[in-house]
């Protein structure tokens, strides 16, 4: 496979993990998050700092990065317990700006220069090939799908959906909103951390601008365009929103304009996403 | 020095207020996080600049910015928000972000990506008042902000329209039952609020002498932090929060040399407000 195609597919894989992980927070537990790139950044930066500054081996660094991202995710999920949805949307935007600001301005995190020389995975002392990396990425995508599925059909998933539908009713039925909101933030951010490790290791260099607010918007758009709460939807959304710009390369300067228009039209005509309730793709599948 | 920084901060705060008060007004009526408000601001800046280049009159430029801003805001309300009112707020939020992206990109495609400036030397004069330097462009911004905010005060506090706005923002069904036409009021609220966002675009463009497509990025999200601090739908809360954050930013950079990027300060302040004064904001503005 050509390098271009491999890189593209790895990017799609990383974004699939991101959109599925955000889907657990937004689609399952109903908590609006417009700051998912912050969790992605925390995963990537933890991994970068642990490997380059403290020379911790790859696998251990990856493990600790996920632990760190999960803990930060639970901490940053705390506002969801006290504020209503509009506040949460703005708070998570704020989290994105603050996290990006911190990574961008403290020398410990490389400042505006970013962090380079992040290790690529090795096997028996040799760097693995890009195709092997691609394979590992899609193994992790599969793992993310399995986790999403198990969570969705488990009692924990049902409890989350109940909170999403009616928090008060769920609460009086003995489902603790605190536990399940934080659980969804924990799982969602852990998986975002995983995507961060993949990204940092594959790129070898990260800077705070890679995780800016428009990235969070794009991840949320993948979830919403595909269909929040479904599993096929976010996967489809990630493929669509990453691959579409590649097809539109000849009209490159209209790309973002069309993206904006697409978001508006999708929300007006397909508010539940392609795979959601009344979504065109889902109705076609059901018919056939 | 300190007084100088406070004057500079008030100038910036006044401009923030023009954007944030319109945003708070719209939130009060529709409960929509109107990110595209900053799109109105960008359009206002361009229209104002070109009107000024043609007519050489700043007053005409200001009127043109307000008129076109108003039209644009009303169009967004009619074609994007009205069809989405029955859906969850996250749908409108994403559509709003889509409108904002499409507006900025549309402006870039029409007027080009480069920074445009006002003719050199129009506002170069400086006034020295007791050791404080006030530039003419600063004076223009201050005068127009004071006039505009007085107009907002008069309309919202002293007219029947203002009273109807308050009624609808507190309870739309109740307001309709006392013969307030909420559709018409939404239209007027958007026309009114958007006019000042357009004016703010022109004022910022002339103050920093640069008009460019991405100029709305920072105000788009910072104004959200400001209205959270002010209490979401509270117009005067938004006013005081704008003034406070304008001064805080200028002081933190000019006097205290805080290393964080200035644009994340508003969000950090917002987080403090949410942490330590949640009851003041929470109870009052929770969605019904």
């Amino acid at each position: 496979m050509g390098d271009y195609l491999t890189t593209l597919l790895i990017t799609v894989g990383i974004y699939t993990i991101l959109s599925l992980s955000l889907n657990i927070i937004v689609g399952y537990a109903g908590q609006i998050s417009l700051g998912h790139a912050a969790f992605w950044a925390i995963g990537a930066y933890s991994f970068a700092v642990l490997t380059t500054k403290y020379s911790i081996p790859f696998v251990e660094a990856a493990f600790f990065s996920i632990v760190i991202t999960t803990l930060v995710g639970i901490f940053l999920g705390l506002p969801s317990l006290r504020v209503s949805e509009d506040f949460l949307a703005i708070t998570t935007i704020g989290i994105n700006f603050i996290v990006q600001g911190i990574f961008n301005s403290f020398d410990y995190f490389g400042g505006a220069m970013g962090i380079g020389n992040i290790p690529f995975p090795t096997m028996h002392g040799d760097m693995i090939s890009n195709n092997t990396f691609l394979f590992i990425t899609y193994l992790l995508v599969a793992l993310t799908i399995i986790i999403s599925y198990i969570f969705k059909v488990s009692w924990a998933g049902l409890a989350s959906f109940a909170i999403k539908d009616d928090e008060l009713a769920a609460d009086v039925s003995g489902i603790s909103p605190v536990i399940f909101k934080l659980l969804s933030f924990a799982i969602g951010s852990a998986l975002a951390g995983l995507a961060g490790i993949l990204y940092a290791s594959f790129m070898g260099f990260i800077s705070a601008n890679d995780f800016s607010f428009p990235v969070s918007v794009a991840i949320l758009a993948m979830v919403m365009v595909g269909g929040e709460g479904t599993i096929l939807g976010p996967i489809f959304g990630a493929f669509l929103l990453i691959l579409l710009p590649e097809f539109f390369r000849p009209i490159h300067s209209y790309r973002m304009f069309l993206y904006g228009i697409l978001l508006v039209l999708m929300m007006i005509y397909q508010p539940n996403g392609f795979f959601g309730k009344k979504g065109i793709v889902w109705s076609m599948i059901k018919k056939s | 020095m300190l007084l100088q920084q406070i004057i500079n901060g008030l100038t910036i705060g006044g401009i923030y207020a023009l954007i944030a008060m319109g945003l708070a007004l719209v939130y009060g009526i529709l409960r929509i996080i109107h990110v595209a408000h900053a799109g109105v601001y960008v359009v206002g800046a361009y229209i104002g600049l070109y009107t000024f280049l043609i007519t050489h009159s700043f007053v005409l430029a200001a009127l043109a910015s307000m008129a076109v801003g108003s039209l644009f805001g009303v169009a967004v309300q009619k074609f994007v928000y009205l069809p989405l009112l029955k859906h969850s707020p996250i749908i409108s939020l994403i559509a709003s972000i889509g409108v904002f992206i499409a507006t900025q990109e549309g402006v870039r495609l029409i007027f080009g990506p480069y920074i445009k400036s006002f003719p050199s030397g129009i506002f170069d004069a400086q006034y020295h008042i007791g050791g404080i330097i006030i530039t003419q462009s600063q004076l223009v911004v201050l005068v127009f902000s004071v006039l505009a905010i007085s107009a907002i005060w008069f309309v919202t506090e002293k007219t029947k329209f203002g009273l109807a706005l308050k009624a609808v923002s507190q309870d739309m069904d109740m307001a309709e039952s006392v013969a307030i036409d909420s559709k018409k009021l939404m239209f007027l609220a958007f026309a009114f609020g958007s006019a000042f966002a357009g004016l703010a675009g022109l004022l910022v463009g002339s103050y920093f002498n640069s008009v460019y497509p991405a100029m709305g990025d920072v105000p788009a999200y910072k104004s959200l932090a400001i209205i959270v601090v002010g209490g979401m739908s509270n117009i005067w809360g938004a006013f005081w929060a704008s003034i406070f954050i304008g001064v805080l930013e200028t002081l933190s950079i000019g006097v205290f040399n805080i290393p964080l990027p200035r644009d994340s300060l508003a969000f950090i302040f917002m987080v403090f407000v949410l942490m330590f004064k949640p009851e003041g904001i929470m109870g009052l503005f929770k969605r019904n």
Side-chain angles (χ1 to χ4, degrees), chain B residues 117-202:
Chain B
S117 14
F118 286 81
S120 60
I122 54 162
F123 296 134
D124 275 356
Q126 290 189 338
Y127 308 96
H128 295 259
I129 306 162
I132 301 166
I133 306 166
I134 297 181
T135 63
Q136 197 181 358
S137 62
Q138 200 168 12
L139 195 67
V140 169
V141 171
L142 282 170
V143 167
F144 272 86
S145 315
V146 169
L147 283 178
I149 291 166
S150 314
I152 296 176
W153 174 80
F154 182 79
V155 170
T156 54
E157 302 296 319
K158 295 287 161 193
T159 63
K160 272 202 164 161
F161 169 64
L163 201 59
L165 277 180
K166 275 187 194 157
V168 171
S169 128
Q170 274 172 10
D171 191 333
M172 189 181 281
D173 295 334
M174 204 58 182
E176 280 190 331
S177 72
V178 293
I180 293 173
D181 183 349
S182 65
K183 278 257 162 62
K184 191 174 144 202
L185 203 75
M186 279 178 205
F187 168 84
L188 288 175
F190 265 86
F192 183 68
S194 303
F196 294 104
L199 177 65
L202 172 66

Side-chain angles (χ1 to χ4, degrees), chain A residues 178-227:
Chain A
V178 175
I179 290 173
F180 290 101
K181 280 182 184 177
L182 289 185
L183 182 68
S184 69
F185 267 97
I187 297 177
S189 47
L191 290 171
L194 179 68
I197 295 161
L198 282 174
Y199 180 77
S201 160
F202 183 65
M203 301 305 285
F205 167 81
I206 53 171
S207 78
N209 289 335
D210 301 348
F211 311 99
S212 62
F213 175 66
V215 177
S216 291
V217 173
I219 302 169
L220 185 62
M222 289 167 185
V223 175
M224 299 301 290
V225 166

Side-chain angles (χ1 to χ4, degrees), chain B residues 258-272:
Chain B
I258 292 174
L260 278 170
R262 86 182 259 159
D263 294 327
S264 60
L265 273 177
F267 283 107
I268 293 171
F269 185 61
M270 176 192 85
V271 170
F272 273 103

Side-chain angles (χ1 to χ4, degrees), chain A residues 82 86-87 94 213 224 253, chain B residues 27 94 108 267 281-282 287:
Chain A
R82 353 178 36 161
D86 292 339
F87 275 105
F213 175 66
M224 299 301 290
S253 68
Chain B
Y27 185 83
I94 291 176
R108 187 178 62 82
F267 283 107
I281 294 165
M282 273 281 286
R287 178 183 295 266

Side-chain angles (χ1 to χ4, degrees), chain A residues 101-282:
Chain A
I102 288 171
F103 286 144
N104 201 27
S105 39
F106 287 94
D107 287 337
Y108 182 75
F109 299 110
M113 303 294 291
I115 300 180
N117 294 322
I118 305 164
F120 203 73
T122 54
M123 199 178 274
H124 309 303
D126 294 323
M127 274 207 272
I128 62 172
S129 70
N130 271 2
N131 284 346
T132 317
F133 196 96
L134 179 71
F135 180 70
I136 294 173
T137 305
Y138 279 84
L139 274 186
L140 293 171
V141 170
L143 176 73
T144 310
I145 295 173
I146 293 169
I147 291 173
S148 295
Y149 181 76
I150 292 178
F151 188 42
K152 190 175 176 175
V153 296
S154 70
W155 56 274
L158 289 177
S160 300
F161 276 102
I163 292 167
K164 181 186 176 187
D165 285 344
D166 192 335
E167 188 173 332
L168 190 63
D171 200 4
V172 297
S173 322
I175 297 169
S176 157
V178 175
I179 290 173
F180 290 101
K181 280 182 184 177
L182 289 185
L183 182 68
S184 69
F185 267 97
I187 297 177
S189 47
L191 290 171
L194 179 68
I197 295 161
L198 282 174
Y199 180 77
S201 160
F202 183 65
M203 301 305 285
F205 167 81
I206 53 171
S207 78
N209 289 335
D210 301 348
F211 311 99
S212 62
F213 175 66
V215 177
S216 291
V217 173
I219 302 169
L220 185 62
M222 289 167 185
V223 175
M224 299 301 290
V225 166
E228 47 119 12
T230 67
I231 289 176
L232 284 174
I235 301 173
F236 175 79
F239 274 79
L240 183 79
L241 290 186
I242 297 293
L243 295 183
L244 215 53
E246 300 300 318
F247 290 119
F248 282 123
R249 266 193 194 277
I251 47 167
H252 180 254
S253 68
Y254 293 89
R255 209 175 49 128
M256 285 303 285
F257 181 71
L258 294 174
Y259 170 61
I261 300 283
L262 172 82
L263 284 189
V264 179
L265 292 180
M266 271 304 292
M267 291 306 114
I268 292 177
Y269 296 107
Q270 291 273 288
N272 295 317
F274 283 124
F275 284 84
K277 254 185 279 169
K278 293 179 195 156
I280 41 173
V281 177
W282 189 236

